[in-house]
């Protein structure tokens, strides 16, 4: 890709990334695009895009530096907020325009300095288009994590089969219950909607289950609208890893094969109880700050 042949200027940019096929990148971004704005972190290992909703749901997509044909970073970490809808629209600008099904869109992404726009140059079949996207200041984001020592259950399923199961549950349900049973060992999904209750139980020895680890039986409840975005992740992933801790924090990690490389999508979801606790805690902090300033 020779959109800009003056590589001597690259040291003037905080970030420069070039990819021969932008489709992989746009697919990963679409899978976490359940909110308009995302935070982009660039490190030596690649790009991490974080999307949050009400401090109860967090989605991460990891695009390793090996996915890019060229990747240059002139700082330890570069971070900015960006409108994901606009970014995806730019990356897919050539979709459906080519008469050659094997054609690909090449990308050069540059970010010059903090507060500057992200510049995109896209090329397909000799046609070049450039885009400039406004960036915004990064606010604090929650540090969701489930350390190995606090994991109470861990299962790995084939994404295609797990998607079929989630697609069949009642879409009118407000909540979804997940049960991880220690003895007998099984993973159960329960919904309750207009059509009544629906339950699917997957034994640990099921052919769609690749791994089942459970140290204690736990049942956790989540809002259905927070689980529904998983379907987009399973459309492009091969395996789904699900982990929980004692508080019921859910972590779903999706393995996506990109050529000979592996990328990951990750969703953290708080239980209904924990979500209320987080909101109450944030309100308490807000009132404390107001009292201190008055």
């Amino acid at each position: 890709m020779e959109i800009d042949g003056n590589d001597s200027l690259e040291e003037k940019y905080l970030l420069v990334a070039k990819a021969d096929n932008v489709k992989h990148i746009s697919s990963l971004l679409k899978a976490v695009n359940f909110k308009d704005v995302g935070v982009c972190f660039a490190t030596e290992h690649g790009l991490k895009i974080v999307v949050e909703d009400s401090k109860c749901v967090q989605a991460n997509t990891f695009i390793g530096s090996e996915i890019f044909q060229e990747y240059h970073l002139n700082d330890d970490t570069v971070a900015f907020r960006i409108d994901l809808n606009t970014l995806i629209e730019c990356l897919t600008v050539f979709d459906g325009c080519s008469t050659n099904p094997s054609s690909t869109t090449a990308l050069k992404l540059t970010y010059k300095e903090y507060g500057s726009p992200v510049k995109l140059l896209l090329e397909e079949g000799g046609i070049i288009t450039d885009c400039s996207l406004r960036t915004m200041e990064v606010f604090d984001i929650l540090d969701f994590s489930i350390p190995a020592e606090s994991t109470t259950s861990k299962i790995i399923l084939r994404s295609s089969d797990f998607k079929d199961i989630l697609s069949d549950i009642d879409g009118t349900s407000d909540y979804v219950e997940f049960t991880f049973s220690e003895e007998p060992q099984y993973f159960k999904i329960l919904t309750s909607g207009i059509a009544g209750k629906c339950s699917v139980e997957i034994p640990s020895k099921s052919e769609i289950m690749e791994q089942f680890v459970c140290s204690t039986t736990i049942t956790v409840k989540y809002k259905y609208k927070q689980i529904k975005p998983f379907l987009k992740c399973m459309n492009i992933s091969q395996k789904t890893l699900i982990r929980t801790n004692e508080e019921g924090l859910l972590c779903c990690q999706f393995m996506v094969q990109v050529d000979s490389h592996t990328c990951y999508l990750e969703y953290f979801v708080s239980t209904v109880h924990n979500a209320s606790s987080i909101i109450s805690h944030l309100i308490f902090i807000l009132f404390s700050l107001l009292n201190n300033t008055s």
Side-chain angles (χ1 to χ4, degrees):
M1 175 183 179
E2 294 296 334
I3 290 178
D4 183 357
N6 194 353
D7 292 336
S8 63
L9 294 177
E10 291 190 346
E11 64 270 12
K12 296 184 179 180
Y13 291 90
L14 286 174
L15 173 66
V16 177
K18 297 180 182 180
D20 290 341
N21 188 354
V22 77
K23 183 178 180 180
H24 303 311
I25 299 171
S26 60
S27 296
L28 290 165
L29 292 176
K30 287 177 183 178
V32 297
N33 183 216
F34 65 95
K35 298 294 286 185
D36 294 340
V37 177
V39 179
C40 179
F41 294 95
T43 69
E44 61 177 328
H45 303 294
L47 302 181
K48 175 183 177 181
I49 293 84
V50 182
V51 184
E52 285 189 345
D53 182 18
S54 305
K55 301 298 181 181
C56 301
V57 181
Q58 184 183 93
N60 307 304
T61 181
F62 303 90
I63 308 173
S65 58
E66 66 276 5
I67 300 300
F68 300 93
Q69 276 61 56
E70 293 186 38
Y71 185 86
H72 305 279
L73 186 70
N74 291 320
D75 205 342
D76 292 336
T77 302
V78 173
F80 51 83
R81 286 195 304 145
I82 195 166
D83 188 300
L84 280 182
N85 292 330
T86 306
L87 175 58
I88 292 171
E89 284 180 10
C90 292
L91 295 178
T92 57
V93 67
F94 287 112
D95 284 11
C97 297
S98 176
T99 57
N100 182 2
S102 62
S103 63
T104 59
T105 302
L107 164 73
K108 179 177 180 180
L109 179 152
T110 58
Y111 179 65
K112 190 171 185 180
E113 58 188 6
Y114 292 103
S116 67
V118 166
K119 298 291 185 70
L120 306 176
L121 284 177
L122 298 118
E123 182 271 333
E124 182 176 316
I127 301 174
I128 297 176
T129 184
D130 64 291
C131 309
S132 180
L133 282 69
R134 181 173 66 94
T135 60
M136 297 163 278
E137 183 181 354
V138 175
F139 297 142
D140 290 338
I141 59 175
L142 291 179
D143 183 20
F144 280 115
S145 64
I146 302 180
E149 62 273 13
S150 66
T151 299
T152 57
S153 53
K154 173 184 174 182
I155 63 175
I156 300 177
L157 309 97
R158 292 202 300 258
S159 291
S160 57
D161 296 298
F162 190 34
K163 178 197 171 187
D164 290 340
I165 293 172
L166 286 185
S167 299
D168 288 339
I169 65 177
D170 188 355
T172 65
S173 303
D174 291 327
Y175 302 99
V176 179
E177 278 189 4
F178 289 164
T179 296
F180 303 84
S181 175
E182 179 186 13
E183 187 60 42
Q185 292 187 333
Y186 62 81
F187 170 57
K188 184 170 73 172
I189 304 169
L190 175 66
T191 61
S192 180
I194 295 176
K197 289 188 176 182
C198 176
S199 175
V200 179
E201 187 174 299
I202 308 172
S204 61
K205 301 300 183 181
S206 169
E207 62 178 12
I208 75 170
M209 188 82 68
E210 296 194 8
Q211 184 178 8
F212 187 98
V213 178
C214 182
S215 60
T216 182
T217 299
I218 182 173
T219 296
V220 283
K221 179 188 286 189
Y222 308 97
K223 291 184 178 180
Y224 174 69
K225 67 178 182 179
Q226 295 171 340
I227 301 297
K228 191 175 180 180
F230 291 1
L231 296 174
K232 291 194 293 184
C233 297
M234 284 179 265
N235 281 333
I236 61 173
S237 66
Q238 286 71 49
K239 296 182 181 181
T240 300
L241 184 154
I242 304 176
R243 294 186 295 134
T244 59
N245 61 10
E246 291 182 351
E247 287 73 38
L249 178 64
L250 180 73
C251 173
C252 284
Q253 192 176 65
F254 305 91
M255 186 189 77
V256 182
Q257 201 67 31
V258 178
D259 297 328
S260 59
H261 307 291
T262 302
C263 293
Y264 291 95
L265 299 161
E266 191 174 59
Y267 267 83
F268 287 95
V269 184
S270 292
T271 63
V272 174
H273 171 73
N274 281 349
S276 300
S277 300
I278 291 173
I279 294 173
S280 298
H281 182 62
L282 291 174
I283 293 174
F284 174 77
I285 293 175
L286 177 61
F287 275 103
S288 298
L289 292 173
L290 291 175
N291 291 331
N292 290 335
T293 55
S294 60

